[in-house]
Amino acid sequence: MPAMRPNRVPPADPGDPPLAGVAAGPPSAPHTAVRPPRVTSAAAAERAAAPYRAIFVNSTEAIAIVDPDGGYLEQNAAHERLMGYSDEELRGRTPAIHLGEAEFQSITAELRATGICRRECVSRTKDGRRLTIELSSFAVRDVMGEPVCYVGIKRDVTEQRRAAAELRQKFDELQAVYRMAETVARAGALEDIYAAALDELQHALHADRASVLLCDEAGVMRFVAWRGLSEDYRGAVEGHSPWAPDDPDPQPVLVPDALADPSLAPLHPVFAREGIGALAFIPLVDAGRLLGKFMIYFDAPRAIEPPALRLAQAIASHIAVAITRKRSETVLHEREQAHRLLAEAGALLNSSLDSEETLHSITRLVVPAIADWCLVDFTDGQGAIQRIAAMSADPADAALARQLQRFYGPLPDGPHGVSRVARSGRSELMTEVTDALLVALARDEDHLAMLRGMRMASYVCAPLVTRGRTIGVLTLAVGASGRRYTARDLPLAEELARRAAMAVDNARLYHEAQEANRAKSQFLATMSHELRTPLNAIGGYAELLQLGIRGPVTDAQRADLARIQRSQKHLLGLITDLLTFARVEAGRVELHRERVAVEEVLEDVQALVEPQIVAKGLRYRLEGGDPGATCLADREKMQQVLLNLLSNAVKFTSPDGQVTLACETSSDAVHIHVRDTGPGIPPHKLEAIFEPFVQLTNNLTRVTEGTGLGLSISRELARAMGGDVTVCSEPGRGSTFTLTLPAA
């Protein structure tokens, strides 16, 4: 910009008063020397200057005039009220008396150079008050351009600037709180909230360092986030709190000089080593509960102003609420995860009856969902412990897991972990795994190296207990992921262990039952063979006697022999059922599946059952379907199933009733229905009748005979052929049994 040309004023008449040729304009307008009209007498000149004099004297703005050397010439009443100095006190003095020498010289230099100076400066009044002054000065020059005097107009803007500063402070506080609230709302984890809080604290309070400490489950304050603090310092001061855990209204504690505060004397050496000069404790409180504290540190002693303290408290309040909310969300998430995990565990444990496979599945489920390592050990009831499974979340640890499983199972007399839990049957939670603990657990140097390689930070061991007996131990460990176990994690681990133990016990019971069932089936098969031999002999000899080969037979003897033969055939049928049932249960039924013409089988079965129907006086109806229908089945087994169903229908249908055999086909199956008009089956027994040895009526007065194996055998044979036997019934209106077989 071009240099400003100084204002030039005409030379004053000798009789002009001191203010002749000077006009005081507002600070925002340029000051220009004004020449009054030329007069020919002193009186006229005085009359011409009177208006300017009145402006100077009566102005509410503080105005002062200084000579070219800077000495005060005159001030108006407003200037005197503002600065507190009388005319006598200012005579022979310069504005440096209240501006300070440096500021005065700077203003003088600017006036000499440009003729104008506008600035805001600090001025001290006579009584010592510091004022913020808005100064507007200009030079009054003669016709030659030389300064005649300098006029200064001052306005007190102290309150305005203070209000503006407070407004800026409030705005900064609101901005900080807004940023904090936005970060909290966006944060995905507590760690993000801590980081944002530390950033805002350091920025807003110009702190050199900061930290966040939260109360653990024992009420001890622990570091969770920090900036610029050494590990030695954190270890030395962790746990210290200026408030009681149950303090209902903890207030901030400010320490302007950390090394001079007697209440912190035990920590003075720690502060000195860390280079801490001042600090502040800001409580984190939500709903009347002390959650922890903010710590603000300064490298040199200093006081914390109330606005900064208010901002720190506002941030602390937001953080406390956020911590409570996040903890609630975390607890809710953990509960949902626990329910989901237990549901998956239940499904997984019920999916297999192989106990070792079940436990391997559990390790794959919990790693890495809730653990970095999972170990499963079995006990034999005599004190020996065998490791069944070991898994790590890190695939690089696979070899280490195999070694821990194969070579380094727990010793029965170990002082901690699996050994202790196996002996006591009570869970063990280790919130912090130290190297000393690993040394105590290790069996040798190689084992110690493996334990260190697991990088465990904490673990929980839960016993596998079933029917009051500890059968093993489930161990969960964390470390590499940065997680830590607390008492809150113990119930989930124990519930997983309980379900795993139940699954293992169920698997054992199942295998024992299978063995017992095989023994039973073998016994039935053996006994059936042994019983069939004498029964066949009875039948053969009865037939010989009936034929008269051993001599003449009377009519009465012939009737007795017929009864013997009927009983022999009935017993033989029962034994055949037992033998068939034993074979079905043992899975030793041989099937020859082929394309079978359904109509042919229905006709063959009708011929076999017709004598029973005629003997009981029943009506029989055959409702044939597609005459060309075929199914994929074992013809003999299919005929056996239908004969069983028809025999049952005849057995349970009253005289003059009806038995119907019907067939229908669908795109992929053939359905053969056996209907009767018997008493029907109660709804609660529709499935029970297919169980072995179950009969619809089971009392001493029942009129039907049998072992209760027919329907069970029929369903098992149908299912072995890829089909099924089902029933629908209505008490008092009969029953319909349906044999379904795959279409050929």
Side-chain angles (χ1 to χ4, degrees):
M1 297 178 60
M4 294 180 60
R5 297 183 61 184
N7 298 319
R8 295 183 179 274
V9 297
D13 289 339
D16 285 350
L19 284 179
V22 178
S28 59
H31 298 280
T32 306
V34 180
R35 183 173 61 189
R38 303 283 299 173
V39 294
T40 57
S41 67
E46 188 171 346
R47 284 195 303 272
Y52 302 101
R53 183 72 184 177
I55 292 173
F56 172 76
V57 171
N58 299 313
S59 174
T60 57
E61 302 285 355
I63 304 174
I65 302 173
V66 298
D67 62 27
D69 296 326
Y72 271 106
L73 291 174
E74 194 172 1
Q75 66 173 345
N76 67 358
H79 189 276
E80 182 176 352
R81 287 193 301 270
L82 179 65
M83 305 310 300
Y85 292 97
S86 66
D87 292 342
E88 291 297 324
E89 290 170 324
L90 289 182
R91 186 170 290 119
R93 309 292 293 272
T94 68
I97 189 175
H98 49 78
L99 289 174
E101 190 63 37
E103 185 75 17
F104 171 65
Q105 294 298 334
S106 174
I107 293 171
T108 300
E110 188 173 344
L111 282 170
R112 287 173 179 167
T114 66
I116 297 174
C117 177
R118 293 190 182 95
R119 67 173 60 179
E120 204 171 86
C121 53
V122 176
S123 186
R124 190 179 297 275
T125 65
K126 180 182 177 181
D127 59 7
R129 290 179 296 115
R130 292 169 61 89
L131 302 178
T132 302
I133 298 297
E134 190 178 79
L135 174 66
S136 179
S137 301
F138 59 92
V140 178
R141 302 178 185 274
D142 60 17
V143 293
M144 301 302 294
E146 294 300 320
V148 175
C149 63
Y150 296 99
V151 179
I153 303 172
K154 299 175 182 176
R155 180 178 296 161
D156 182 6
V157 294
T158 304
E159 286 304 312
Q160 296 177 27
R161 297 299 177 261
R162 184 189 61 77
E166 286 186 0
L167 186 61
R168 281 195 302 273
Q169 176 69 27
K170 291 290 184 184
F171 180 75
D172 290 343
E173 290 179 11
L174 287 173
Q175 283 288 91
V177 170
Y178 173 77
R179 287 194 300 270
M180 191 71 251
E182 188 179 30
T183 302
V184 166
R186 197 173 55 247
L190 282 171
E191 289 73 16
D192 300 332
I193 296 176
Y194 303 150
L198 294 179
D199 288 341
E200 288 299 335
L201 281 171
Q202 286 190 273
H203 172 75
L205 278 69
H206 307 291
D208 298 306
R209 288 170 273 185
S211 65
V212 182
L213 294 89
L214 296 181
C215 297
D216 63 13
E217 294 181 352
V220 179
M221 289 198 180
R222 307 286 186 188
F223 282 92
V224 295
W226 58 88
R227 297 285 171 80
L229 298 175
S230 68
E231 185 176 354
D232 290 341
Y233 175 81
R234 299 197 308 273
V237 303
E238 192 169 62
H240 174 270
S241 173
W243 314 285
D246 57 350
D247 191 333
D249 187 25
Q251 295 298 313
V253 176
L254 309 180
V255 184
D257 192 339
L259 299 180
D261 192 305
S263 66
L264 298 175
L267 297 176
H268 285 175
V270 180
F271 293 151
R273 287 196 302 271
E274 194 71 9
I276 293 175
L279 66 157
F281 301 77
I282 311 296
L284 294 170
V285 181
D286 182 53
R289 189 165 69 94
L290 180 64
L291 305 179
K293 62 182 178 180
F294 274 153
M295 293 297 300
I296 307 166
Y297 309 90
F298 301 94
D299 295 342
R302 59 164 289 180
I304 298 179
E305 298 298 327
L309 180 60
R310 286 197 305 271
L311 177 57
Q313 288 179 290
I315 293 175
S317 177
H318 275 272
I319 295 304
V321 172
I323 289 172
T324 300
R325 190 180 73 246
K326 275 296 178 185
R327 282 179 169 176
S328 299
E329 291 175 358
T330 301
V331 170
L332 182 61
H333 175 71
E334 288 176 353
R335 286 177 181 171
E336 290 176 350
Q337 185 185 37
H339 287 310
R340 185 168 58 252
L341 190 68
L342 290 175
E344 292 178 9
L348 198 60
L349 292 171
N350 292 327
S351 65
S352 173
L353 288 170
D354 184 324
S355 58
E356 290 196 16
E357 175 58 30
T358 294
L359 293 175
H360 279 286
S361 299
I362 283 293
T363 62
R364 292 191 291 270
L365 178 66
V366 301
V367 175
I370 60 171
D372 298 328
W373 280 88
C374 181
L375 309 174
V376 182
D377 299 278
F378 269 178
T379 61
D380 62 359
Q382 306 299 320
I385 302 175
Q386 179 187 4
R387 179 147 292 158
I388 301 300
M391 177 171 285
S392 169
D394 187 350
D397 291 331
L400 176 58
R402 286 194 297 271
Q403 288 178 307
L404 287 169
Q405 179 179 344
R406 191 174 303 172
F407 303 115
Y408 285 100
L411 294 174
D413 56 350
H416 296 287
V418 174
S419 306
R420 182 178 178 181
V421 174
R423 292 195 306 269
S424 67
R426 293 190 298 272
S427 300
E428 179 178 288
L429 169 65
M430 193 65 67
T431 56
E432 183 178 359
V433 176
T434 63
D435 195 64
L437 177 62
L438 298 181
V439 172
L441 291 172
R443 294 162 58 175
D444 52 39
E445 289 299 323
D446 290 340
H447 191 203
L448 179 59
M450 291 181 188
L451 292 177
R452 287 171 173 164
M454 293 175 69
R455 306 181 298 282
M456 281 190 296
S458 63
Y459 70 76
V460 56
C461 292
L464 302 173
V465 180
T466 177
R467 291 183 287 173
R469 186 169 60 91
T470 301
I471 62 172
V473 179
L474 174 70
T475 302
L476 306 177
V478 290
S481 63
R483 293 175 290 187
R484 296 292 183 274
Y485 288 135
T486 65
R488 198 171 64 240
D489 300 299
L490 197 55
L492 176 59
E494 290 177 333
E495 179 62 18
L496 280 171
R498 187 187 69 79
R499 296 191 181 199
M502 187 183 299
V504 170
D505 192 49
N506 288 342
R508 288 180 175 178
L509 290 175
Y510 173 78
H511 288 301
E512 291 173 3
Q514 287 288 87
E515 289 298 324
N517 200 40
R518 278 192 289 270
K520 178 201 69 177
S521 299
Q522 183 62 40
F523 169 76
L524 289 175
T526 302
M527 289 302 298
S528 297
H529 279 292
E530 294 298 324
L531 291 173
R532 284 167 65 92
T533 301
L535 280 175
N536 285 331
I538 290 171
Y541 283 113
E543 189 175 353
L544 290 176
L545 291 173
Q546 193 176 36
L547 292 174
I549 293 177
R550 302 300 185 185
V553 180
T554 66
D555 291 340
Q557 290 171 335
R558 196 177 302 279
D560 290 339
L561 288 171
R563 292 190 184 94
I564 291 172
Q565 286 179 315
R566 285 198 299 273
S567 297
Q568 180 263 345
K569 289 178 181 178
H570 177 66
L571 282 175
L572 191 61
L574 295 178
I575 292 170
T576 300
D577 284 347
L578 286 172
L579 182 59
T580 303
F581 174 72
R583 287 173 177 169
V584 168
E585 273 210 325
R588 295 201 302 266
V589 175
E590 295 183 5
L591 294 174
H592 302 284
R593 299 179 71 191
E594 58 183 344
R595 183 188 295 269
V596 177
V598 176
E599 189 173 9
E600 293 180 6
V601 175
L602 297 184
E603 291 174 354
D604 291 345
V605 170
Q606 178 182 345
L608 291 172
V609 81
E610 191 170 6
Q612 300 178 40
I613 293 173
V614 172
K616 201 167 181 179
L618 303 177
R619 298 187 302 278
Y620 178 78
R621 182 178 178 184
L622 176 61
E623 297 178 355
D626 180 5
T630 59
C631 64
L632 192 62
D634 182 308
R635 184 187 182 98
E636 181 183 342
K637 301 299 186 295
M638 176 182 173
Q639 183 173 303
Q640 181 180 350
V641 171
L642 288 174
L643 191 58
N644 279 343
L645 297 180
L646 283 168
S647 296
N648 271 355
V650 171
K651 187 188 302 182
F652 287 100
T653 302
S654 301
D656 296 330
Q658 179 171 307
V659 174
T660 303
L661 186 62
C663 176
E664 61 178 352
T665 58
S666 61
S667 60
D668 58 350
V670 174
H671 310 279
I672 304 173
H673 307 290
V674 178
R675 300 190 186 96
D676 63 58
T677 58
I681 304 169
H684 66 280
K685 286 203 171 185
L686 287 177
E687 283 300 314
I689 59 175
F690 290 101
E691 295 295 324
F693 307 106
V694 172
Q695 294 182 329
L696 190 59
T697 58
N698 189 18
N699 54 60
L700 297 176
T701 62
R702 62 187 175 92
V703 296
T704 58
E705 298 178 342
T707 59
L709 290 174
L711 289 176
S712 176
I713 292 172
S714 297
R715 172 171 275 186
E716 292 300 325
L717 289 176
R719 289 179 174 176
M721 291 185 289
D724 201 359
V725 172
T726 57
V727 62
C728 61
S729 179
E730 184 178 346
R733 300 179 66 93
S735 306
T736 300
F737 286 83
T738 301
L739 169 63
T740 301
L741 293 170

